[in-house]
Amino acid sequence: ASADKLIKLWKAGVSTHTLSGHTDAVRSLAVISSSEFLSAGNDASVRRWSTTGDCLGTYYGHDNYIYSISLLGGGGWVTSGEDRSVRVWRDNAVVQTIYL
């Protein structure tokens, strides 16, 4: 997580890439594969990144901060946020919202 809105990729103790795109603090990361990962943050967005530094997609579904993101089997993911909801994502879109 990073309050400076940036994500840094590291290899062998050396920063290899600095990724920008989030407009507020980054709160959570989830590794998809050795070449892709997801980030979520206070700007209410989920972003898909390549480990080469490219933003592959930006997804919206929450009304406020996203606190955590975790992968689900079958290629989906789940997020939880300040809007008191848990959202299940498949094919880059929210397919279920659970309000707490």
Side-chain angles (χ1 to χ4, degrees), residues 1-22:
S2 174
D4 66 3
K5 309 172 201 172
L6 301 174
I7 299 167
K8 291 204 176 269
L9 302 182
W10 297 80
K11 185 171 185 175
V14 176
S15 176
T16 59
H17 293 86
T18 299
L19 312 180
S20 62
H22 281 282

Side-chain angles (χ1 to χ4, degrees), residues 8-10 16-19 31-38 48-56:
K8 291 204 176 269
L9 302 182
W10 297 80
T16 59
H17 293 86
T18 299
L19 312 180
V31 176
I32 297 171
S33 69
S34 62
S35 62
E36 290 187 15
F37 67 95
L38 298 168
R48 181 182 222 118
W49 302 91
S50 73
T51 54
T52 59
D54 297 316
C55 182
L56 305 174

Side-chain angles (χ1 to χ4, degrees), residues 14-91:
V14 176
S15 176
T16 59
H17 293 86
T18 299
L19 312 180
S20 62
H22 281 282
T23 59
D24 205 336
V26 179
R27 290 198 173 253
S28 187
L29 302 173
V31 176
I32 297 171
S33 69
S34 62
S35 62
E36 290 187 15
F37 67 95
L38 298 168
S39 63
N42 285 3
D43 60 3
S45 74
V46 173
R47 293 178 184 263
R48 181 182 222 118
W49 302 91
S50 73
T51 54
T52 59
D54 297 316
C55 182
L56 305 174
T58 304
Y59 315 105
Y60 296 95
H62 283 273
D63 299 325
N64 211 323
Y65 302 165
I66 300 174
Y67 289 134
S68 63
I69 187 167
S70 185
L71 298 180
L72 296 173
W77 66 84
V78 62
T79 54
S80 65
E82 175 76 11
D83 58 6
R84 298 181 49 123
S85 72
V86 173
R87 299 186 190 237
V88 178
W89 303 70
R90 296 259 183 227
D91 299 320

